[in-house]
Amino acid sequence: MEELERRENIVSIEECPRCGLKNKRKFQQGDYVLKQSGKCPKCNIPMYIKLIYAEPFKP
Amino acid sequence: MIMALLWLPFGDNQFPPILQLVIIWIPFIILIVYGQKIQAWTILGEVSRYLNKLKMFRDKARVTMLNYVQKKGTTAEGRARFEELIEFVTILPVDLDPVGIVKKLDHVLTTQDIQLKEEVARLLPRDSTEIERSCALNMVEVAAALNSIYKVVRHFYILGKKSSNVYILAQLQMILPTLLRQAEALVSAMKALEEGQPLGDGVGPLVVSHLMKDVKKVKIARETVMAELEYKGRKLALIKAEGPQGSVGKVDEALINLLNGHYSDASTIIMIDAALKLEGEKTGEVAEGIGAAIGGLGVEKFKIEEIAHKYGIPLYAIIIKESIIEAISIMKKEIAESVDEVKEAVLRIVENKVPYGGKAIIIGVGNTLGISQ
Ligand SMILES: [Zn+2]
């Protein structure tokens, strides 16, 4: 069972609605797609979560 | 090698008769007389290993579910009731006289849905959120599925063991690896549910959620939302289940409401859904086609086909290929990244098939867990 859990990394991709800047970070509990999350360092406006997915774990 | 060693001491002749009896004839007779029994034993051993794994998965799912509802504040009594819900059965209507069976099926399934939902809402504390309720409900369904897989396999295992029937056991042995993979996927779905992460099946609602991001959403059917979008002079009605709680909504009813309302003159209906890929096909591949792209027992599909036929509106389908296991596990990267391609395909169909000033209905089919709008 632990094997199953170790195989994947769950990530949330944030995107800035204005400049399209993307930021990849670890999934946090309570995240969902289209939730406001973080701030764009360039435009200083809230970003939103565009995608949440599992990618193969790379140590 | 061993045969060569045996040969050596006896020169270029053959085995002495006693050795010949021991190493050739006795095993031969044993195999003829007890061959099937021996085969049954070896298969039984293998099946029982699988069975133990399935039991472990079932128990793990049950514990995960119970821990989840405990964490959300369900009483001990409520948790006992949750355990009972795992054994909940739904009796499907008789199909001896199939006329009108879809309506009966719809009735039974809707009743089951409402019954389970109410029961879960009653057992969870009153201040629980919609997301928590839907996750608990989905967990009950997953735990029930694992429970029934385990029980059916155990049934045939015991049956085969009792009757020493190689054929029952051999059939079981053949399907077990696939069953085990499905059970594994269900366990990983459990993990996604616990955290509220999108499932592979959620790719349809994901595409529609991106399309309706900046426009006003209204509720159009039970657990289903709709938004209107202007695109190059065309009016698009976007439908998806209401997220981010885990639900597939009632997209069929939403479509019926729209067609019986302002959208009776729509030029096309476009359905986006995850579809089963064949082995060898790439996960996340996008394909276009014709027809109602929606899974399940067929009730929604029937209703959608009927209403589309009634109004004479063509049904277009965009499907995203994934395996059954990927569909019920946390969404994979390849699936998530197909979203932009699907969006382009949708808008291309709209441009080609909907005249300027015309209307189209776009439906994202699937479980919208972890996907808002
Ligand atoms: Zn920005």
Side-chain angles (χ1 to χ4, degrees), chain A residues 16 18-21 40 42-45:
Chain A
C16 170
R18 194 179 296 161
C19 69
L21 183 95
C40 175
K42 273 199 238 158
C43 323
N44 208 25
I45 56 166

Side-chain angles (χ1 to χ4, degrees), chain B residues 121-358:
Chain B
R122 189 177 65 80
L123 294 173
L124 285 172
R126 219 162 270 164
D127 59 346
S128 60
T129 64
E130 198 63 37
I131 300 178
E132 288 164 355
R133 282 179 203 175
S134 76
C135 283
L137 176 70
N138 281 312
M139 280 182 170
V140 169
E141 285 169 349
V142 170
L146 280 166
N147 187 41
S148 79
I149 292 178
Y150 168 67
K151 281 193 164 179
V152 170
V153 172
R154 185 180 63 181
H155 167 77
F156 284 107
Y157 169 75
I158 295 174
L159 207 66
K161 197 172 168 182
K162 262 189 196 164
S163 56
S164 294
N165 188 331
V166 187
Y167 302 103
I168 293 180
L169 291 169
Q171 286 183 49
L172 202 55
Q173 188 195 21
M174 277 182 249
I175 60 159
L176 269 174
T178 324
L179 272 182
L180 197 77
R181 277 177 62 205
Q182 289 187 12
E184 261 177 11
L186 283 168
V187 172
S188 89
M190 212 65 186
K191 195 166 156 34
L193 289 171
E194 218 180 338
E195 310 256 350
Q197 292 157 341
L199 305 173
D201 183 45
V203 63
L206 180 61
V207 174
V208 171
S209 80
H210 282 188
L211 284 169
M212 60 164 59
K213 184 164 79 78
D214 302 317
V215 287
K216 190 173 159 268
K217 272 74 71 172
V218 287
K219 209 155 174 171
I220 186 165
R222 194 158 64 86
E223 295 174 3
T224 313
V225 289
M226 187 274 249
E228 282 182 303
L229 181 73
E230 280 275 320
Y231 176 75
K232 293 196 177 171
R234 282 96 169 158
K235 210 167 170 190
L236 312 181
L238 307 161
I239 300 174
K240 80 183 266 293
E242 189 176 11
Q245 56 267 37
S247 162
V248 292
K250 285 268 177 196
V251 291
D252 49 340
E253 273 167 29
L255 176 68
I256 292 169
N257 289 345
L258 277 181
L259 288 180
N260 288 336
H262 306 313
Y263 277 80
S264 56
D265 55 344
S267 320
T268 54
I269 300 166
I270 305 172
M271 300 184 74
I272 309 162
D273 193 13
L276 230 47
K277 68 167 188 168
L278 299 170
E279 275 318 320
E281 279 186 310
K282 246 174 64 194
T283 298
E285 220 172 71
V286 179
E288 287 174 39
I290 306 289
I294 186 164
L297 283 175
V299 175
E300 294 93 348
K301 193 171 179 191
F302 180 88
K303 286 201 208 160
I304 290 172
E305 284 166 352
E306 205 174 47
I307 190 100
H309 166 72
K310 185 179 154 196
Y311 285 93
I313 304 173
L315 277 165
Y316 291 95
I318 300 177
I319 58 172
I320 300 96
K321 307 273 182 80
E322 48 193 86
S323 71
I324 176 88
I325 291 157
E326 286 161 344
I328 56 173
S329 313
I330 300 165
M331 187 180 285
K332 270 193 167 178
K333 188 177 186 208
E334 297 92 321
I335 300 170
E337 287 185 338
S338 69
V339 164
D340 290 330
E341 192 186 340
V342 176
K343 222 156 63 182
E344 276 165 30
V346 169
L347 297 177
R348 195 175 56 237
I349 295 179
V350 166
E351 273 180 63
N352 291 341
K353 306 291 175 189
V354 184
Y356 190 84

Side-chain angles (χ1 to χ4, degrees), chain A residues 1 27 32-33 50 53-54, chain B residues 60 197 210 331 333 370 372:
Chain A
M1 209 72 61
F27 174 86
Y32 56 81
V33 173
K50 190 182 182 208
Y53 57 73
Chain B
K60 161 121 181 160
Q197 292 157 341
H210 282 188
M331 187 180 285
K333 188 177 186 208
S372 186

Side-chain angles (χ1 to χ4, degrees), chain B residues 94-110:
Chain B
V94 65
D95 53 4
L96 269 177
D97 181 14
V99 178
I101 195 173
V102 176
K103 279 186 190 125
K104 294 187 214 163
L105 193 58
D106 188 20
H107 175 63
V108 169
L109 293 178
T110 309

